[in-house]
Amino acid sequence: MCYAAKDRVQYRIVTSPVATVAQAAETLDAFTFLPAPDVLDRQRLRLVDVVANIMSRHMTFLQDLLRDLPIAQGHEKSDCMSQKSELVTLGIVPTNPGTTQGIETVLEHLQQYLPASVRGGGANPTLVSGNESAIKGVLQAQRVRADRETWQERLEGYIPVPQEYDKEILFLQDSNNVFFDGESASAKGTIAQLKNEFNYTFFRKEVLQNVQEAWDMYEFVTEGYSLLCALKFCGTSSLHEVPASFPARGSRHDKLLWVKTVAQRVVDFVYQEPKRSSIQLAADAYGDNTDNEREAAVLCCRCRAVKDEEMIVCCNAMCPTPWYHLSCAGLTATPEDDWYCCHECLKSRSYTYCLCKRKEDARGGTRMVQCAKQENCRGHEWYHYGCIGLQDTDVLPEKWYCGEECALDAENDDHVLNHSRALTLEGLRHLARQAAVRTGNGPVMVEDWKIDLLLFWSRRHQDYLANAHYFLACVGGFAQKNIIKSLIWNRVVNINGRREGNFGMDYVSKQISRDYKGTVKSYYGKVSDKHAEQLAKVSGICGHVLGEMFSGAGPSSTLKTPCRKRAEILYKKDVESFVHGNQGSALFSYLPCREHRGFEEFDGREVLRDPQNLGHKLKALSRRLDTLRRGER
């Protein structure tokens, strides 16, 4: 089954050759593909939004704040992405899309729907969405036919777009591979134990056996774990107990600030990311500026050179080139005060330190304290007194740590705590990615692809790495300029016209195909080719206008836990039961030498595998794209 969705975000087609010219992939900056520091910081803030939303839904005294604590912030296209998508069938293709020949047949079928170029001589670039194998197949088919005579034979006009649902299934399977072990069924709080306690009967090790149940499980576990960790910082033991620190008589702003502060502490406690210097090392390798003999990563200065010299960081968190050699900065020694590389950075309100990422805290204070781990701090190294609940007159110990995560890192001998932190972070990332899809936030989805590219590499998902590289290259300038905005925004569909009702196009395709196969199956397989085409046009309730298929039902009603399908209150009771039942398990307290059965010596720290080779691999993929564009195999 094939279908098309009308673009909800419309862009004027630019006919000027200058306006539509595309860049060579090799000329693109390394951070077209890799997450820059500001991208990682923004993901961290999105995780805070997720935790704050969880707290407001389950903590009784916060529920009147829920409307101000969405799981994902609004964006410039929120209203547009809340509109119901217009979907139409494009018929069926009697072939196996899992083969190169099958993909070629599908693309030949779709050519009749490609819009003609306004300049003539071919088709206007058109997005074609699919899962990992489909995108790989399209690119392979285009490579195979690169030397054909006509644009139709070369299968030109298609811009393959990898989708979110297929990627999420992959990451759910990765999560299961790490966190689901049958031997841990007796270990309180593990997924195997929770599966039995809360009757997730259809949850399986292999995610494809029941994707929905896998999503339900990780959503449930993430909410429970996040609340357990939040209670730790609230100093309470119940979701109904009001913490002493909560400003019950304060303004709404004070209450929201309190929630965000606790949520920030939860995220800081569980957060892990590859060393940013390792990401920079991959970027240097992409630009062929890597000293392979040197083990230490060189944080890249604007000079793009390797020097045996001390470096300094610009204190503007949004600075595009934050690290500088002292000589390049015109300095002979490291200054004691904050340093900014230019006047624009000096004027910026953004700040590289503290959880607020601002020069002043909410009270206007500037006094700060440094974590004893200094540059190895897992948090933000320097903190405003106001942002961590201190008064300017408070006296701190000589060795002050920003939190347990830094105080305990040196020990790293509580493997239950390591497991709890890693599982919570894994789940929060699942929810944050899903929130970006549901709200149709294109720029955030692009940033997630950059962060996920690191996971594809470290977890050895080479095909996904290649697809991510292709998509990010297109967004970064490899595609024609007049289609880049559509690549960013028109990559999901909204089947019910709800504010958070967007889904990946590959997910909707699966629903349509399932419906069609059910229709065909009702005829006991006695269907001619002509009859099959007719059935494709009437698949579903409404005939060929697919949007009507999902009125009041369809995928958006299934992406909830089984408990939520019955009643929200039952789901909340399950979450409360999970939190109450695990209060005595000390899952977020430090108790040395603990370990869950099945997770002996669990570490959970994230390391970017072989970053130099990652940079070289990305460069090779860029060269391959340029070769394809030149019409070579």
Side-chain angles (χ1 to χ4, degrees), residues 349-388:
R349 294 181 60 197
S350 177
Y351 200 46
T352 193
Y353 299 114
C354 193
L355 50 89
C356 70
K357 296 299 179 183
R358 291 290 184 268
K359 294 179 181 178
E360 298 178 350
D361 61 25
R363 303 180 306 196
T366 58
R367 188 175 183 188
M368 305 188 80
V369 59
Q370 186 184 30
C371 176
K373 291 198 72 177
Q374 299 182 2
E375 67 272 11
N376 293 318
C377 172
R378 290 188 58 210
H380 310 278
E381 188 177 353
W382 285 91
Y383 297 83
H384 294 113
Y385 271 47
C387 290
I388 54 176

Side-chain angles (χ1 to χ4, degrees), residues 154-165:
R154 292 192 295 272
L155 300 175
E156 290 180 355
Y158 299 109
I159 306 293
V161 185
Q163 285 288 297
E164 317 303 321
Y165 179 68

Side-chain angles (χ1 to χ4, degrees), residues 68-69 75 115 181 253 256 280 285 308 314 402 418 545 606:
D68 292 325
L69 294 168
H75 52 82
D181 190 323
H253 175 269
L256 290 170
Q280 185 62 59
D308 188 14
C314 175
C402 64
N418 292 345
V545 183
E606 295 189 8

Side-chain angles (χ1 to χ4, degrees), residues 452-470:
D452 296 341
L453 182 143
L454 303 182
L455 299 179
F456 295 149
W457 172 256
S458 292
R459 298 175 182 180
R460 294 177 169 82
H461 300 307
Q462 294 298 323
D463 289 340
Y464 284 89
L465 177 75
N467 285 350
H469 170 274
Y470 175 79

Side-chain angles (χ1 to χ4, degrees), residues 97-229:
T99 65
T100 300
Q101 184 177 359
I103 286 289
E104 291 179 18
T105 303
V106 172
L107 296 179
E108 289 169 348
H109 168 79
L110 293 176
Q111 278 181 338
Q112 61 187 303
Y113 302 105
L114 288 178
S117 171
V118 293
R119 289 184 289 157
N124 206 53
T126 303
L127 310 186
V128 55
S129 302
N131 59 19
E132 176 272 331
S133 61
I135 300 306
K136 178 184 176 183
V138 172
L139 294 173
Q140 176 64 21
Q142 290 176 328
R143 281 194 290 269
V144 169
R145 294 193 175 199
D147 56 357
R148 300 289 179 90
E149 291 186 6
T150 67
W151 68 268
Q152 292 95 337
E153 292 175 325
R154 292 192 295 272
L155 300 175
E156 290 180 355
Y158 299 109
I159 306 293
V161 185
Q163 285 288 297
E164 317 303 321
Y165 179 68
D166 184 62
K167 181 178 69 167
E168 201 59 42
I169 291 176
L170 176 75
F171 285 147
L172 284 171
Q173 186 61 63
D174 285 345
S175 298
N176 263 6
N177 293 342
V178 175
F179 295 106
F180 183 43
D181 190 323
E183 291 186 8
S184 66
S186 61
K188 194 73 171 173
T190 62
I191 286 183
Q193 185 267 325
L194 294 170
K195 173 185 184 296
N196 297 330
E197 181 178 354
F198 290 94
N199 198 29
Y200 279 82
T201 309
F202 300 105
F203 180 76
R204 297 287 186 271
K205 180 75 171 183
E206 295 300 322
V207 168
L208 283 176
Q209 292 181 11
N210 195 321
V211 176
Q212 187 59 51
E213 192 84 346
W215 174 261
D216 294 342
M217 170 60 80
Y218 281 98
E219 184 179 36
F220 173 70
V221 171
T222 303
E223 294 197 359
Y225 266 65
S226 297
L227 291 166
L228 275 172
C229 192

